[in-house]
Structure formats: structure tokens, C-alpha cells
């Protein structure tokens, strides 16, 4: 077996190894069952609309280093009211309970791809087993970014943990408006919540909404109405119910995320048990899903920390905590936040600054691959402006890559042809020096040098394609621009697998044809084994995003055309 054959086998194994590291589905960690799951349900989940519930006082544990503090609520709370905020981008429902967010639905993004055809594999299994369970009907329900339980506080509730005086996260506030509509009046509007607590503090939460983006301003004013100084450690909280019955998102981190000291920090929700914190120097932090996130940007990152915890009911709390401060009698303390609740759109996040685009999971264990993924995304979006179809843009990208590396491909195929020509001489050397491997290596290299052949030249196209393949994989997997983006026919979501598995099968067939056309050298048995690689790749690609399969298929077809050109040229 010559060195080139050995290298080909190693590269094939490397592809499988890379697949296991970067693409294989990780095992689902065991999750504890909620002890009261049968009586407590989410208020707003992916497919449910939030329902108003009577307010109840929250219980806050006192700090071990401070005297017993009081959680102040009124003896008889008024029923909560809902305030609907309508923009072109979202429909938000705020509640006077906690002056917090009850529902947040994105108008331009659906939970499911309603136009996508059903996966054919479950139907095949039903046919084989005799099952009669019908396919789930897909809906076009807008994405809901709030998921809490009936008796849990709502996201964006304000509390004062580790302070001598705290307020309940579900305290009832007064609102100055009953609804806001920014679809007709294209200008910023405000919604103010006010509450005077028995402790002698007055809290105002002022939300400022923009008609054309997902950014929301939040100004908090805490006024001391007493005759003594008040110590405060404010905390802005995002609450999320983690359904223990729901399978975690594939290949993605769902849970707390923060940008701390210019480094992205994220943790999976299933891994959180005891309370933990990161910071200070928290530029922004909050909760993320694969394609969406809700984060708060504090006014002073140097004094801000982020804490996270999960209770026995699987309610996760992510809190932006400010530094400890003192409010003199009659004085007002102000806190300013900028909120982003919306899609992880790279261009949109980049415009906002503060490295919000780092929340997109383009990072990789391979150095430089993140920037390759971003570059591929930007170029695909550039092509999309002219062709209006991301599938066509991927094909054009494949053609451009092939054109750039066309000379290198020609050299590679030429090298393989030359290797094939001198194969009889190599076999003679193997027979002559079969008992002297050192001498065999020297004579083989001398033969390569004599014929000006690079024995590793045929492997260069494979080495070049691997980083492009992984970079494009990250782009297709995490770029929201490609989520639910159609190509044609049955392929209506380039970020999901082919529901009929047609393109992976065609891709495998094209790779088999390419393998048969490639000049072979070395052990004939090894050449036959290499013909199994298309079959292996076909099974691997069955569950890959259809956009990635489209790229590999287009690349194979172009490579076959290049091989035909080289064969005619040499013949």
C-alpha cells in the first residue's frame, strides 16, 4: 500500500471523526421530573397563548449576610390587566402583574414550517409496522418567546434580592395606557408602570418601543419616600420554564447567554441546578434559543453580574444584577437598560453594536472557521439580493468556489493520472525491495522526483473542501436567514433535512460516479473499499440540512465535469 492510499484512508476516517465531533447528536442528559407537573402548566409556550392568572405573593429567601428583609405587597391585590403593544415586528402583551412581559410573538417568524411537506420516514415506519398514527398537522403560529408557568413571575420583573427591602416579582402595578399601536403611528411610544410600596419606595418602569426594530428601552426610577436611606441591589429577571418532557434542541445551546469581558459565555438550561453567577463586566446577558434571544444591555457593564438558577419546578431564572447602592431620603435612583427580544439576525445584531452578533453559534474548535462561516453567510446574502432564492445562491457559491480552485483541481487530477501511469514501476519496486522498506521508500520517492509527481497532490481538493464544508454547515445550521427558506418543489426549508431523502441519494450516486472516474493506484482491494465511501456518506447526509446536501451535490457534479475535461485533455 503506497503513501497516497494510506493518506486517502486516513482522510476518509478523518471525515467520519470530524462528523462525530461536530455533527453527531449529543446524548440527551437525564432530566428531573417536575413534582407538580400535573397541576402546573406553562402560561405561554411554543404553541399556547398566555392566559391571565390571579396574582400571588412571591416568597424571597433572606440573604445569609443581611438582617431579615421584608417582601412588600398589598394585602389585597387588584386583578392584573393586560396591555397589548403592536408593532410590525411583534405583538407583545405586558401585564400589570410585575409590570412584566406576559407574551411576545414574532410576526415574521413561525414556530413551524407550515408549507413544508411531511417527512416520509415516519410514514414508511407506519407502513412497515402497521401503525395508524397520523402525521402532526403543522401550523403557522408565530414564534412565542415567553414560556413560564401559571404561578411563576413573568419575564422582565424587577426584584431587589440581598437588599433589606425587597418587592415581590408579581406585585400589581398601575399602567398609564391600555394599549399601544405602532403599526399606524410610526414613532416611538412609551408605556409606564407605577407602584408605591408599603416600605416607602416608589417604582416606575418606563418601556420605550420603536416601530421598526426589536429594541426596547427600559428606564427604572426608584424613589425613596422615607426619612431614612434605602439600600438597593436591583435585579432584572428573565424567567423561563424548562419542560422536562421536551427534547433539547439538536446541536444548539438553549439557556443563559452573556457577553463577559469580550468573551461569549453560555450554559445549557439542563445543566443548571445550583445558583451560579458570572461577571462583572457583563456587556449584555439574558436567555437564548437556537434562532432567537432575549437579552438586557445594562448601562454600566463594569458593575453588572449575571446570575442563573433553576428551582424544583424547572423554572429557570436569569438575572442581571446591578451594584449595591444607597438612596437618600427623598432622592431618586435611575437604572437604564436596552432590551433586545427577537431573532439572531447577523446583520441586525451587528448594527446594534456591543457584539450582540456573538450570540450566533458560529464558533468552532477549528481556528478561523467562525470567520469563514460569517463570510459565507454574508456572501450568500449578497447573492440572495439578486437571485431571490437561497438554494440558487448556494449553487452559485459552489460554482464560484470551484472556479477559484479549478487550477488546483487540474493539478490534482493531473497528479493522479501521472501516478496511474507509473504504477507498474511502483509495483516492480515493491516486488524488488519487499524485504527492505527503507530502500523501497527511497526508490519510490526518487521515482516520483524523476517524473515530477507530488504523491499527495490528489488529496488537496479534499483537504480544501473540509473547512468549507464545516463552515457552510455552521452557516446553514445557525443562520436564521436560511430558516424556513425554500429552494423549490419539496425542499421548502434549507436548514432542515430533505423530507423525501432524494437529494442525499442523488448526492451519493454522484459521489460514486466521481469515485469510479478518479484514477486509482495502489492495492485494487483498497480501491474497492474506497467505493464504499459514497454509501457511508449517503447515510451520513440523510439527516444533514438540505442546503448542505445541495452544496455537496453541486460540487460533485462540477467535479465530474472537471474530471471529464481532464480525461479528454490527457487522452
Amino acid at each position: 500500500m503506497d503513501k497516497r492510499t494510506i493518506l486517502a484512508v486516513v482522510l476518509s476516517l478523518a471525515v467520519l471523526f470530524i462528523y462525530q465531533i461536530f455533527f453527531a447528536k449529543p446524548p440527551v442528559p437525564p432530566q428531573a421530573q417536575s413534582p407538580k407537573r400535573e397541576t402546573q402548566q406553562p402560561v405561554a409556550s411554543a404553541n399556547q397563548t398566555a392566559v391571565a392568572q390571579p396574582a400571588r405573593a412571591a416568597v424571597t429567601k433572606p440573604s445569609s449576610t443581611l438582617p431579615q428583609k421584608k417582601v412588600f405587597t398589598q394585602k389585597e391585590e387588584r386583578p392584573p390587566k393586560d396591555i397589548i403593544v403592536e408593532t410590525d415586528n411583534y405583538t407583545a402583551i405586558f401585564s400589570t402583574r410585575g409590570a412584566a412581559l406576559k407574551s411576545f410573538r414574532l410576526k415574521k417568524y413561525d414556530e413551524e414550517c407550515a408549507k413544508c411537506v411531511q417527512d416520509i420516514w415516519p410514514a414508511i415506519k407506519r407502513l412497515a409496522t402497521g401503525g395508524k398514527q397520523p402525521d402532526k398537522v403543522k401550523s403557522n403560529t408565530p414564534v412565542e418567546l415567553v414560556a413560564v408557568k401559571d404561578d411563576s413571575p413573568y419575564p422582565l420583573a424587577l426584584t431587589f434580592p440581598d437588599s433589606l427591602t425587597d418587592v415581590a416579582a408579581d406585585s400589581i402595578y398601575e399602567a398609564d395606557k391600555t394599549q399601544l399601536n405602532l403599526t399606524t403611528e410610526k414613532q416611538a411610544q412609551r408605556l409606564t408602570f407605577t407602584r408605591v410600596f408599603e416600605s416607602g419606595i416608589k417604582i416606575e418602569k418606563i418601556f420605550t418601543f420603536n416601530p421598526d426594530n426589536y429594541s426596547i428601552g427600559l428606564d427604572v426610577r426608584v424613589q425613596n419616600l422615607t426619612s431614612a436611606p434605602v439600600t438597593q441591589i436591583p435585579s432584572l429577571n428573565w424567567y423561563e420554564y424548562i419542560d422536562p418532557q421536551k427534547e433539547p434542541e439538536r446541536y444548539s445551546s438553549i439557556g443563559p447567554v452573556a457577553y463577559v469581558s469580550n468573551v461569549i459565555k453560555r450554559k445549557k438550561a439542563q445543566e443548571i441546578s445550583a445558583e451560579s453567577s458570572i461577571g462583572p463586566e457583563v456587556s449584555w446577558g439574558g436567555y437564548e434559543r437556537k434562532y432567537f434571544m432575549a437579552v438586557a444591555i445594562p448601562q454600566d457593564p463594569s458593575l453588572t453580574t449575571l446570575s442563573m438558577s433553576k428551582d424544583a419546578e424547572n423554572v429557570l431564572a436569569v438575572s442581571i444584577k446591578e451594584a449595591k447602592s444607597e438612596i437618600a431620603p427623598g432622592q431618586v435612583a435611575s437604572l437604564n437598560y436596552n432590551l433586545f427580544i427577537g431573532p439572531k439576525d447577523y446583520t441586525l445584531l451587528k448594527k446594534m453594536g456591543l457584539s450582540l452578533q456573538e450570540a450566533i453559534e458560529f464558533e468552532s474548535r477549528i481556528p478561523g472557521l467562525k470567520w469563514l462561516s460569517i463570510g459565507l453567510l454574508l456572501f450568500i446574502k449578497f447573492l440572495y439580493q439578486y437571485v431571490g432564492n437561497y438554494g440558487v445562491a448556494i449553487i452559485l457559491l459552489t460554482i464560484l468556489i470551484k472556479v477559484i480552485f479549478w487550477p488546483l483541481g487540474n493539478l490534482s487530477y493531473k497528479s493522479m493520472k501521472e501516478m496511474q501511469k507509473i504504477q507498474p514501476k511502483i509495483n516492480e519496486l515493491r516486488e524488488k525491495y519487499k524485504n527492505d522498506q527503507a530502500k523501497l521508500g527511497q526508490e519510490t520517492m526518487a521515482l516520483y522526483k524523476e517524473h515530477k509527481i507530488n504523491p499527495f497532490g490528489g488529496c488537496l481538493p479534499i483537504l480544501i473542501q473540509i473547512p468549507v464544508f464545516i463552515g457552510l454547515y455552521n452557516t446553514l445550521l445557525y443562520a436564521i436567514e436560511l430558516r424556513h427558506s425554500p429552494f423549490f418543489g419539496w425542499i421548502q426549508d434549507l436548514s432542515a433535512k430533505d423530507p423525501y431523502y432524494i437529494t442525499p441519494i442523488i448526492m451519493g450516486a454522484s459521489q460514486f460516479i466521481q469515485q469510479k472516474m478518479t484514477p486509482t493506484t495502489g492495492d485494487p482491494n483498497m480501491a474497492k473499499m474506497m467505493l464504499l465511501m459514497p454509501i457511508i456518506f449517503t447515510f451520513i447526509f440523510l439527516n444533514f440540512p438540505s442546503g448542505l446536501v445541495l452544496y455537496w451535490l453541486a460540487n460533485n457534479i462540477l467535479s465530474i465535469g472537471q474530471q471529464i475535461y481532464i480525461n479528454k485533455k490527457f487522452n
Side-chain angles (χ1 to χ4, degrees), residues 63-326:
S63 171
S64 60
T65 60
L66 294 172
Q68 178 69 38
K69 65 183 177 183
K70 297 180 180 180
V71 180
F72 289 94
T73 57
Q74 292 182 351
K75 294 180 179 180
E76 294 184 2
E77 292 284 15
R78 298 176 298 279
K81 298 179 181 179
D82 291 344
I83 299 94
I84 299 177
V85 179
E86 197 85 30
T87 76
D88 291 334
N89 295 313
Y90 58 82
T91 299
I93 301 178
F94 283 80
S95 173
T96 56
R97 178 162 78 91
L101 187 61
K102 182 178 178 180
S103 173
F104 198 93
R105 290 192 177 274
L106 303 177
K107 293 183 176 181
K108 299 179 180 179
Y109 300 93
D110 295 337
E111 291 282 1
E112 299 177 311
C113 180
K115 60 187 176 182
C116 295
V117 299
Q118 296 287 353
D119 188 351
I120 196 175
W121 178 243
I124 295 176
K125 289 195 295 184
R126 287 196 301 269
L127 184 64
T129 59
K132 298 182 179 180
Q133 184 178 0
D135 290 327
K136 178 183 175 182
V137 179
K138 297 181 179 180
S139 68
N140 57 353
T141 304
V143 169
E144 171 64 79
L145 295 186
V146 174
V148 292
K149 304 185 73 174
D150 293 347
D151 57 349
S152 299
Y154 293 142
L156 302 183
L158 186 69
T159 58
F160 295 84
D162 302 322
S163 304
L164 291 177
T165 300
D166 196 3
V167 298
D170 52 4
S171 302
I172 303 298
Y173 288 70
E174 292 286 347
D176 68 337
K177 293 182 178 66
T178 57
Q179 66 177 7
L180 284 82
N181 191 332
L182 282 73
T183 60
T184 55
E185 298 182 18
K186 302 293 184 178
Q187 60 182 1
Q189 298 186 39
R190 287 186 173 186
L191 172 61
T192 302
F193 294 94
T194 307
R195 169 74 183 259
V196 178
F197 291 87
E198 294 178 358
S199 61
I201 63 171
K202 177 183 178 181
I203 297 179
E204 286 184 305
K205 296 177 68 175
I206 305 168
F207 293 91
T208 303
F209 305 93
N210 300 296
D212 55 355
N213 57 45
Y214 299 91
S215 177
I216 302 174
L218 173 57
D219 299 317
V220 179
R221 291 166 52 87
V222 183
Q223 184 177 4
N224 181 6
L225 302 178
T226 70
S227 58
V230 173
T231 301
Q232 66 162 2
I233 305 178
S235 177
L236 184 64
N237 309 285
W238 184 274
Y239 300 99
E240 186 86 8
Y241 173 65
I242 309 300
D243 188 354
Q245 301 298 320
K246 186 177 181 181
E247 186 175 340
E249 182 70 42
R250 198 174 185 182
Y251 311 134
S252 182
S253 296
I254 295 182
V257 61
Y259 196 64
V260 185
S261 299
N262 298 324
V263 177
I264 191 73
K265 301 284 186 181
R266 49 173 44 101
K267 195 168 186 178
K268 294 184 178 180
Q270 287 76 18
E271 299 175 354
I272 298 174
S273 55
E275 182 176 359
S276 60
S277 62
I278 54 178
E281 295 293 342
V282 176
S283 298
W284 51 263
Y287 189 85
E288 71 169 346
R289 302 180 189 178
K290 181 178 180 180
Y291 291 112
F292 309 96
M293 68 178 183
V295 298
I297 305 168
Q299 184 178 13
D300 190 352
S302 64
L303 301 176
T304 304
T305 60
L306 182 139
S307 66
M308 59 201 86
S309 62
K310 185 167 62 176
D311 63 17
E313 303 298 326
N314 288 304
V315 176
L316 176 67
V318 183
S319 306
I320 297 289
K321 289 187 176 182
E322 302 289 342
K324 181 178 179 180
S325 62
E326 186 177 89

Side-chain angles (χ1 to χ4, degrees), residues 499-569:
Y500 293 158
Y501 305 96
I502 295 176
T503 49
I505 294 175
I506 298 177
M507 185 279 301
S510 66
Q511 189 160 345
F512 179 81
I513 295 173
Q514 183 184 3
Q515 192 80 43
K516 290 288 291 183
M517 294 178 63
T518 302
T520 57
T521 60
D523 189 352
N525 294 327
M526 182 59 64
K528 293 179 180 179
M529 290 181 60
M530 293 300 295
L531 290 177
L532 294 175
M533 292 305 299
I535 300 176
I536 296 174
F537 269 69
T538 299
F539 278 98
I540 292 176
F541 274 69
L542 287 177
N543 292 311
F544 273 11
S546 55
L548 187 68
V549 180
L550 179 63
Y551 160 76
W552 202 262
L553 172 59
N555 182 75
N556 284 351
I557 294 174
L558 293 173
S559 297
I560 290 173
Q562 186 176 15
Q563 183 65 61
I564 293 175
Y565 167 78
I566 292 295
N567 289 342
K568 288 183 177 181
K569 183 177 180 180

